[in-house]
Amino acid sequence: MAKVEGAPLINIVRNEIITDETTPKTLTFDSASEASYSPTLSEGDEQVLRSKNKLYAINRTEDIQYGSDIELTDAKFIPEVLAVVDGGELVMDTEDPTKVVGYNAPVTGQAVNRTKFTYNIYTEEKDIDGNTLAYYKFSFPNSKGSPAEFDFKDGDWLAPKYTIHSRAASGQPPYTVEVLDELPAETTTTTTAPTTTTTTTAG
């Protein structure tokens, strides 16, 4: 039997949010401090045929994964990321339309039509000398955000918490992993405000 070698992975090197729009926006940021992944399952069932102390048969259906949930904690407050995940609108400066001066959360009591996006998280494989051997890109398609969470505490940094729900389409894997020799070049982020379009860099 062939021996299999694993890859020691560490760190959150980069995060990407690529919106599913006619003109996609790419938000790239490297300030996330923690991200946890859990599969979303349709759980199987077991039917046991038993009489007294004798077991005759078991009919079992398998668990089926149809999506993923990601809990993301960011070390910085990035309004552009908040607007996509939380579903609200950026407020731009009237004098300088490239400057974000605020954020309006979704209206209370109404359903929110949040933008779908692909969420990518990059981690790195390390060698025994500390050098990076490769990067691993975990990609979650058909993602949508939900209301963001904040903890305010005197003396502590504000770290927004985001929940991302990824639900794969029919015939699509719930996530993919790609091994890269180097990180892709960062792209310019296009941010759309309610009435103004501007170009900014997230993170």
Side-chain angles (χ1 to χ4, degrees), residues 1 10 21 25 38 42 56 69 87 93 96 110 139-140 148 150 167 169 192:
M1 181 180 295
I10 192 170
E21 299 175 290
K25 295 190 292 288
S38 59
S42 171
Y56 293 100
D69 288 335
D93 188 272
D96 180 4
Q110 296 184 11
S139 185
F140 302 90
F150 306 98
R167 299 294 181 263
T192 303

Side-chain angles (χ1 to χ4, degrees), residues 162-177:
Y162 304 113
T163 300
I164 296 172
H165 304 286
S166 172
R167 299 294 181 263
S170 178
Q172 186 179 37
Y175 68 92
T176 58
V177 182

Side-chain angles (χ1 to χ4, degrees), residues 63-142:
D63 295 343
I64 299 175
Q65 182 176 359
Y66 59 89
S68 310
D69 288 335
I70 302 99
E71 302 287 338
L72 176 67
T73 302
D74 201 354
K76 293 175 67 179
F77 183 87
I78 307 175
E80 293 89 346
V81 173
L82 181 63
V84 174
V85 179
D86 190 57
E89 295 181 333
L90 296 173
V91 179
M92 313 305 289
D93 188 272
T94 54
E95 300 290 331
D96 180 4
T98 65
K99 182 180 179 181
V100 178
V101 295
Y103 170 76
N104 292 328
V107 176
T108 301
Q110 296 184 11
V112 182
N113 185 22
R114 292 182 174 87
T115 301
K116 285 187 178 182
F117 57 89
T118 297
Y119 172 64
N120 299 323
I121 182 169
Y122 296 79
T123 187
E124 57 188 338
E125 177 186 2
K126 290 289 190 177
D127 202 350
I128 58 173
D129 60 2
N131 289 326
T132 299
L133 295 176
Y135 296 93
Y136 283 65
K137 174 186 175 183
F138 292 75
S139 185
F140 302 90
N142 293 336

Side-chain angles (χ1 to χ4, degrees), residues 148-171:
E149 298 180 34
F150 306 98
D151 289 327
F152 300 91
K153 186 176 180 180
D154 189 35
D156 285 353
W157 303 106
L158 176 67
K161 298 177 183 178
Y162 304 113
T163 300
I164 296 172
H165 304 286
S166 172
R167 299 294 181 263
S170 178

